[in-house]
Amino acid sequence: MQPTQPVQDILDDENLVDYGLDSVRLMALVGRRRSAHGIDVSARDLAERPAVEEWAALLGATG
C-alpha cells in the first residue's frame, strides 16, 4: 500500500486498492451513495473496476 497522498495526486486509471481501498470501505461508500443519490450499484461492481474512471461511469458522474 502506498502512503497517504492528496486525492488530486491519484490518477483516474490507478487501482484504488493500492491506496488502501478494501471491502468495508466499498460497502460504506455504496451505502452512502445509495442513500444520498438513489444510485443502485453494488460493492462488487466497484471492486471489479477499482479505478476512478470506471467508477465515474458506474456512479453516473458528469462533467
Side-chain angles (χ1 to χ4, degrees):
M1 184 165 84
Q2 295 181 10
T4 303
Q5 65 184 26
V7 70
Q8 63 268 22
D9 292 344
I10 299 174
L11 300 176
D12 289 349
D13 63 348
E14 288 190 74
N15 187 327
L16 297 173
V17 172
D18 294 339
Y19 292 91
L21 181 68
D22 59 31
S23 60
V24 173
R25 288 185 176 111
L26 273 176
M27 288 185 289
L29 173 67
V30 167
R32 287 192 309 269
R33 189 73 181 186
R34 193 172 286 142
S35 295
H37 303 285
I39 302 283
D40 187 27
V41 65
S42 72
R44 182 178 182 161
D45 292 335
L46 297 181
E48 289 176 348
R49 301 167 189 86
V52 173
E53 66 186 2
E54 297 289 338
W55 287 11
L58 289 170
L59 299 173
T62 59

